[in-house]
Amino acid sequence: MKFHTKLLAATALTAAMMAGYSGAASAKTFVYCSPASPEGFDPAPYTGGDTFDAAAHTVYNRLVEFQNGTTVVEPGLAEKWEVSEDGLEYTFHLRKGVKFQTTDYFTPSRELNADDVIYSFDRQRNKDNPWYEYTAGISYEYFNSMEMITLIKDIVKVDDHTVKFVLTRPEAPFLANIAMPFVSIMSKEYMDKLAADGKKENLNQFPVGTGPFTFVAYQKDAVIRYKANPDFWGEKQKIDDLVFAITTDASVRAQKLKAGECHLMSYPAPADIKGLQEDKNLKVDEQAGLNIAYFAYNTLVAPFDKPEVRKALNQAVNKQAIIDAVFQGSGQVAKNPIPPTMWGYNNAIEDDKYDPEAAKKALEAAGVKDLNMKLWAMPVSRPYMPNARRTAELMQADFEKVGVKAEIVSMEWGEYLKKSGEKDRDGAVILGWTGDNGDPDNFLGVLLGCAGVGGNNRAQFCYQPFEDLIQKAKITSDQAERVKLYEQAQVIFKEQAPWNTLAHSTVYVPMSAKVTGFKMSPLGDYRFDGVDISE
């Protein structure tokens, strides 16, 4: 009953906004049917794509950015940079005249300078920074799992518009890493004001950045409103207002798109794709996803601490049946922890074969009897997993055939992300990843490296032979050598089986035929800078 009431209210609100757009020739409102509420509006503590879309790609910028629709790094708030010959110093020259947004709750008195850049990084790396833990339980999963704490030795203010990063070691993907949302540049002046007012928590509720859109209002689980930033340092936006109409049900998102209640939607249900493609008022872009859906065992908890048990459970799961029933032609079985479209992919790897009888024997040989486990299923659709609940039900039936009882567990999305990363988590979790920067380290290092244990590394997997390879690859500048190291790491991954690699999906983005300027991102971003609606 609550769901229907919430849905009707959100639909009415969206319809009212669209009506406002239709009736005002001088203003354009773009409505995006988004699948989930953001965890917050500070990109640093989170890893969820919906949070990044709602904050990092609207309100904020980074020193360097990914060129829209690609993984190519280009200038952002830094107009240029130099790298020392030994790869240990990166000097960034900031654009001059960049203004922070003026909102109802903050009016900046100065432009962007080096202090903002240094503070944005320091608050994540320095436990003595007053903003290190500005709300209870906050943590910086990306910063930690990408080993930024050990990587960055110092950040030096050369002058007001020049910042030098001094590293402890060479880092091949460093520029790509700092183009990611978690190191969005904040206003130190705004943070100082919040601290003085005793309202630090507002950083996560009322954002202020330099990005293309200015935050206006958020109604939880219903709608987020933005307006084009009149002081944006880049090109002027072609739309005046941007609305995120939060609609968790994929089929309802499709209905709203067809009805003209939104201009673009994300993550359509596979069963709806054909109908959307056939609608003459719509167009559907598609591309192979730079993604992986996986089932991560907790390798710190018995009996999942044994590779032979994990591999036996992998043999019990009919992954092709999941592809057929859940992805319905929009995915392929995964055998590696990185997608086949990524450089460094080891195609010579052989996948674990579906063999229930062999799985049963292997469990018996490992001394595992009457196993009861938790099977965690996401409550939302994602580009890499359209229906985790249905996937969990299929896996539950597969496990039952080999004598394993699996209880399906789910919860609110933000809570799911938080609890699934805990070291003492029971059972195994369905989750996935869309690449953030086009580098294999973003999968193998972030998701499976020792630094990610207790965070992004949902398998809590820390295996030294694997760790040695990915660490060596990070400091190697020769890409051919990096490829060899990552290929070896994938062999060890398959032997140790911290995950059951489930699927790589094809990503579809349905939108009104009137939408122009939207570019599908290989990184799974939904960016609306440069987007327009033709008359």
Side-chain angles (χ1 to χ4, degrees):
M1 195 67 171
K2 287 180 181 177
F3 169 78
H4 289 295
T5 303
K6 225 183 245 186
L7 179 59
L8 288 169
T11 301
L13 185 58
T14 305
M17 289 173 177
M18 292 292 282
Y21 153 66
S22 301
S26 61
K28 285 186 179 181
T29 297
F30 189 97
V31 181
Y32 163 50
C33 277
S34 69
S37 297
E39 300 152 274
F41 289 92
D42 173 3
Y46 305 114
T47 61
D50 294 304
T51 298
F52 295 156
D53 293 338
H57 301 308
T58 49
V59 177
Y60 294 104
N61 292 116
R62 273 66 53 201
L63 283 172
V64 294
E65 307 267 359
F66 291 113
Q67 187 181 92
N68 201 353
T70 77
T71 58
V72 176
V73 174
E74 65 178 7
L77 294 177
E79 60 184 356
K80 61 181 180 178
W81 57 88
E82 297 101 30
V83 185
S84 63
E85 285 189 14
D86 60 7
L88 296 179
E89 293 185 358
Y90 287 70
T91 302
F92 295 93
H93 302 273
L94 305 183
R95 296 179 189 274
K96 294 179 181 178
V98 175
K99 297 180 179 179
F100 281 99
Q101 296 148 357
T102 297
T103 68
D104 292 341
Y105 45 87
F106 178 68
T107 301
S109 67
R110 63 167 178 80
E111 296 172 346
L112 169 83
N113 65 32
D115 294 333
D116 302 304
V117 174
I118 292 171
Y119 212 66
S120 297
F121 280 82
D122 190 70
R123 72 178 181 119
Q124 298 186 61
R125 64 188 284 263
N126 179 8
K127 291 183 179 181
D128 293 327
N129 187 299
W131 283 89
Y132 182 78
E133 190 174 4
Y134 68 91
T135 57
I138 195 171
S139 63
Y140 301 103
E141 278 191 51
Y142 259 128
F143 202 87
N144 294 331
S145 63
M146 299 186 80
E147 301 182 79
M148 288 288 187
I149 290 176
T150 59
L151 173 65
I152 299 173
K153 181 179 181 180
D154 197 10
I155 309 176
V156 180
K157 179 179 179 179
V158 179
D159 58 44
D160 278 351
H161 289 90
T162 311
V163 179
K164 181 168 68 175
F165 284 71
V166 182
L167 309 184
T168 59
R169 59 182 182 271
E171 182 87 349
F174 181 68
L175 282 174
N177 289 348
I178 64 169
M180 290 166 55
F182 76 102
V183 282
S184 294
I185 304 304
M186 323 293 280
S187 165
K188 183 178 184 300
E189 183 185 20
Y190 178 50
M191 296 168 79
D192 288 344
K193 181 181 183 299
L194 290 177
D197 292 345
K199 296 180 179 178
K200 281 187 172 183
E201 69 281 358
N202 281 5
L203 186 69
N204 208 18
Q205 300 170 30
F206 300 99
V208 171
T210 58
F213 297 97
T214 301
F215 176 83
V216 175
Y218 171 44
Q219 182 180 337
K220 185 172 172 56
D221 298 332
V223 65
I224 315 171
R225 294 182 59 238
Y226 310 86
K227 64 181 181 181
N229 177 9
D231 298 319
F232 183 50
W233 55 270
E235 291 184 11
K236 185 181 184 298
Q237 297 309 305
K238 294 167 182 161
I239 57 174
D240 301 283
D241 298 289
L242 174 64
V243 176
F244 279 36
I246 299 164
T247 312
T248 55
D249 187 285
S251 293
V252 176
R253 289 198 298 278
Q255 291 166 17
K256 290 170 79 169
L257 180 65
K258 282 174 165 283
E261 294 177 22
C262 56
H263 296 100
L264 183 145
M265 67 168 287
S266 57
Y267 317 148
D272 293 334
I273 291 170
K274 185 178 180 182
L276 292 164
Q277 290 171 327
E278 293 173 348
D279 191 318
K280 63 181 181 180
N281 296 314
L282 305 176
K283 56 184 176 181
V284 181
D285 289 353
E286 67 176 270
Q287 66 181 18
L290 192 73
N291 62 36
I292 175 76
Y294 60 78
F295 186 60
Y297 304 103
N298 188 343
T299 61
L300 296 179
V301 176
F304 311 109
D305 55 340
K306 296 180 179 179
E308 59 268 33
V309 172
R310 302 192 294 261
K311 287 187 75 68
L313 292 171
N314 285 357
Q315 285 186 291
V317 175
N318 187 344
K319 294 196 285 190
Q320 188 58 52
I322 293 172
I323 296 295
D324 295 341
V326 178
F327 290 82
Q328 298 182 31
S330 61
Q332 65 183 86
V333 167
K335 64 180 182 179
N336 289 328
I338 63 175
T341 52
M342 174 170 274
W343 62 270
Y345 182 83
N346 190 343
N347 198 39
I349 296 286
E350 287 193 15
D351 201 9
D352 297 311
K353 290 183 173 61
Y354 171 56
D355 190 336
E357 284 304 312
K360 192 183 295 185
K361 290 176 181 177
L363 287 172
E364 289 174 358
V368 176
K369 296 181 180 178
D370 302 319
L371 176 60
N372 288 273
M373 64 180 289
K374 295 282 198 309
L375 199 169
W376 290 53
M378 302 179 305
V380 295
S381 58
R382 306 302 299 149
Y384 48 76
M385 175 53 67
N387 191 332
R389 180 78 193 192
R390 179 65 183 133
T391 299
E393 290 168 353
L394 292 168
M395 295 178 72
Q396 182 184 47
D398 286 341
F399 286 144
E400 189 173 355
K401 292 173 186 174
V402 299
V404 174
K405 292 183 179 179
E407 176 193 350
I408 297 174
V409 174
S410 193
M411 62 199 71
E412 185 270 331
W413 181 224
E415 192 71 3
Y416 187 94
L417 287 172
K418 180 181 177 182
K419 288 189 173 297
S420 63
E422 294 175 354
K423 290 183 182 180
D424 60 352
R425 183 201 74 233
D426 187 14
V429 58
I430 296 174
L431 205 57
W433 194 258
T434 297
D436 292 298
N437 61 18
D439 194 288
D441 177 70
N442 186 243
F443 286 78
L444 301 178
V446 173
L447 303 180
L448 293 158
C450 295
V453 171
N456 281 326
N457 187 339
R458 260 52 182 201
Q460 317 303 340
F461 178 69
C462 181
Y463 185 64
Q464 203 58 48
F466 179 88
E467 183 74 10
D468 290 343
L469 287 168
I470 62 171
Q471 289 297 337
K472 186 176 180 181
K474 284 177 72 171
I475 64 172
T476 302
S477 58
D478 184 334
Q479 185 164 318
E481 182 61 27
R482 294 186 77 203
V483 167
K484 292 177 184 177
L485 293 167
Y486 286 134
E487 286 178 343
Q488 294 172 44
Q490 288 165 78
V491 171
I492 292 176
F493 167 88
K494 209 63 187 178
E495 292 170 351
Q496 293 297 309
W499 297 349
N500 188 346
T501 49
L502 298 178
H504 306 293
S505 76
T506 301
V507 179
Y508 298 86
V509 180
M511 66 192 83
S512 165
K514 295 182 178 180
V515 173
T516 62
F518 179 83
K519 297 180 181 179
M520 282 191 75
S521 169
L523 307 175
D525 305 330
Y526 284 78
R527 287 176 52 175
F528 300 102
D529 49 311
V531 170
D532 198 4
I533 310 161
S534 63
E535 299 298 338

